Amino acid sequence: MRDLIVSDIHANWEALEAVLARAAGSYDRIVCCGDLIGYGPDPNRVLDWARSNLAYVVRGNHDKAAVGLENLEWFNPVARAAALWTLHELTPENLEYAKELPKGPLPIDNYQIAHGSPLDEDEYVVCENDADQAFAYLDRDVTFFGHTHVQGGFALAVRRIRELEGPAHGSREATLDFDPDTAYLINPGSIGQPRDRDPRAAWALYDAESRSVTYYREPYDIETAQAKIRRAGLPDMLAHRLAVGQ
Ligand code: ZN
């Protein structure tokens, strides 16, 4: 079974479309680590797609915020404005779907997915210390997570943690073969709003048979996504950051 692992799409249809075109034929199922919506200009298009294409998904903090399940006082003004705009846009079917998204972690076969930390869906796993705490409580060898919008993750072998990275800026993919006796926290990166200084859409492919993960990056039509954000009246910063991947 080959699972396409995506996360943090954030209603960016152009980025999602480019990823699906590049990944066509390479996977059996699509699995999402949350934040389908929020920030971007196409929440209904992305949720329509999600409803018929995702095999497994967990909710993200922006999914919760956009449907009123999160206290918006915790959000910065830009994220809050985007959440309120999204709630106003959603069709009744998509609002219902987003409200019902399950909380992570969610077990799938021999791995699991979470939005933030497997211990707390809203917590960011950013550094080795964060990963160390999470590893202490993992009951599976492989966990995929999102939330930070940074492709890579962490590997833990005999009590030693090392940080993982996606492909370098000049290349489009990088494969990581899993070692035995090692646990992995893998971040596929963000489709719709990368924050690791690489503006290309990010995702990963997990091959359960060969026990490997391939990280991918794909350029997409950022200008169109930016124009839609501006036309929707969303904060300009949300358009600007797409071009710099930050
Ligand atoms: Zn996110």
Side-chain angles (χ1 to χ4, degrees):
M1 192 66 79
R2 295 163 307 164
D3 290 343
L4 194 73
I5 315 285
V6 300
S7 190
D8 298 279
I9 299 169
H10 284 291
N12 185 335
W13 179 255
E14 278 69 33
L16 178 61
E17 213 178 18
V19 166
L20 295 173
R22 165 99 182 274
S26 71
Y27 59 87
D28 303 299
R29 306 183 292 194
I30 309 179
V31 173
C32 180
C33 303
D35 275 3
L36 290 159
I37 53 174
Y39 290 138
D42 280 315
N44 284 314
R45 218 158 167 190
V46 168
L47 290 179
D48 288 344
W49 169 85
R51 283 161 50 200
S52 46
N53 288 284
L54 291 179
Y56 299 96
V57 57
V58 290
R59 68 187 188 183
N61 54 320
H62 286 265
D63 301 319
K64 284 192 286 176
V67 298
L69 293 174
E70 182 89 298
N71 187 345
L72 290 180
E73 277 170 37
W74 293 96
F75 271 52
N76 67 51
V78 168
R80 196 182 311 145
L84 293 171
W85 179 87
T86 302
L87 177 59
H88 184 75
E89 288 289 306
L90 290 182
T91 63
E93 297 78 25
N94 286 336
L95 178 63
E96 200 49 40
Y97 172 79
K99 273 188 175 164
E100 299 295 321
L101 289 171
K103 180 182 177 188
L106 178 71
I108 303 169
D109 304 339
N110 57 348
Y111 70 96
Q112 63 179 0
I113 58 171
H115 182 60
S117 158
L119 310 177
D120 177 346
E121 60 178 349
D122 294 329
E123 205 163 294
Y124 291 88
V125 181
V126 177
C127 61
E128 291 181 6
N129 264 349
D130 305 333
D132 195 24
Q133 284 186 15
F135 275 126
Y137 295 94
L138 294 189
D139 53 1
R140 304 216 169 209
D141 283 351
V142 179
T143 300
F144 290 93
F145 70 104
H147 200 30
T148 63
H149 298 207
V150 175
Q151 193 178 42
F154 302 90
L156 174 71
V158 254
R159 303 302 309 153
R160 279 203 57 184
I161 291 185
R162 80 190 150 91
E163 199 171 343
L164 306 168
E165 284 177 6
H169 282 224
S171 66
R172 296 170 78 205
E173 57 185 86
T175 296
L176 170 74
D177 292 312
F178 288 166
D179 291 323
D181 305 322
T182 300
Y184 293 90
L185 269 166
I186 302 283
N187 193 325
S190 168
I191 291 205
Q193 196 194 80
R195 293 180 195 161
D196 44 14
R197 296 177 196 280
D198 183 343
R200 298 177 299 173
W203 78 102
L205 186 74
Y206 173 52
D207 188 326
E209 254 127 74
S210 66
R211 285 191 49 84
S212 66
V213 158
T214 302
Y215 297 103
Y216 290 93
R217 300 302 283 232
E218 182 71 8
Y220 71 96
D221 184 0
I222 291 179
E223 286 77 20
T224 298
Q226 289 177 314
K228 283 187 186 176
I229 288 172
R230 294 189 171 116
R231 218 178 305 135
L234 286 159
D236 193 67
M237 179 248 195
L238 294 174
H240 174 75
R241 69 188 306 175
L242 293 184
V244 288
Q246 189 60 307

